[in-house]
Amino acid sequence: MKLLIAVIQDKDSNHLTDALGEHNFKTTKLATTGGFLKEGNTTLMIGCEDEHVDQALDIIRENCSQREQVVAPISSMGGNADTYISKPIKVEVGGATVFIMPIEAFHQF
C-alpha cells in the first residue's frame, strides 16, 4: 500500500477530487499555504494499493494543469511596499507535486 500526498492549486482541487472519486479513490483534503506566492493551495492524502498508483498519478496529471499567472513582485525590503515600483511578472503555477510513501499498516475505525 502507498500514501500519495499531492500538493495542488486550489483551483484544481474540486476537479481532481471529483475525478479521483469517480475511480473509487478516497481522499483527505487539507487546506495549506504555498511558500513561493504565499497563496492557498490544497494537499490531498490518497491511500491506494501499489497496483493503482499509476492510475492515480494519471488522474492527477490530467486534472492539474500548469498555467501562467501574472503577479506583482514582493518588495525585497519587506514592510511597506508603497515605494517599491516594479512591473508585474509572469510565473508558472499549477500542476502538482506528489510524494509517494510506503504504508506499513492502515486501520479504519
Side-chain angles (χ1 to χ4, degrees):
M1 179 167 239
K2 300 284 192 243
L3 174 65
L4 282 65
I5 299 177
V7 181
I8 61 172
Q9 235 189 356
D10 281 339
K11 293 178 183 178
D12 296 326
S13 68
N14 288 336
H15 293 292
L16 179 56
T17 54
D18 290 346
L20 288 166
E22 289 173 10
H23 291 88
N24 297 318
F25 288 101
K26 293 185 167 79
T27 62
T28 298
K29 183 177 178 179
L30 306 170
T32 52
T33 303
F36 175 58
L37 297 176
K38 299 195 181 358
E39 290 186 0
N41 54 32
T42 300
T43 300
L44 296 177
M45 297 190 321
I46 308 157
C48 66
E49 297 298 330
D50 292 355
E51 61 267 15
H52 298 294
V53 170
D54 288 337
Q55 180 186 13
L57 291 173
D58 288 340
I59 294 169
I60 294 168
R61 188 177 299 110
E62 291 167 7
N63 288 277
C64 297
S65 59
Q66 288 189 336
R67 54 196 160 270
E68 282 190 345
Q69 179 176 324
V70 178
V71 298
I74 299 170
S75 171
S76 60
M77 300 194 295
N80 190 348
D82 291 341
T83 58
Y84 183 72
I85 300 171
S86 182
K87 293 182 181 180
I89 56 172
K90 288 183 182 180
V91 295
E92 191 144 322
V93 297
T97 301
V98 182
F99 301 91
I100 302 173
M101 296 177 279
I103 300 299
E104 188 174 311
F106 168 75
H107 303 279
Q108 188 172 1
F109 302 105

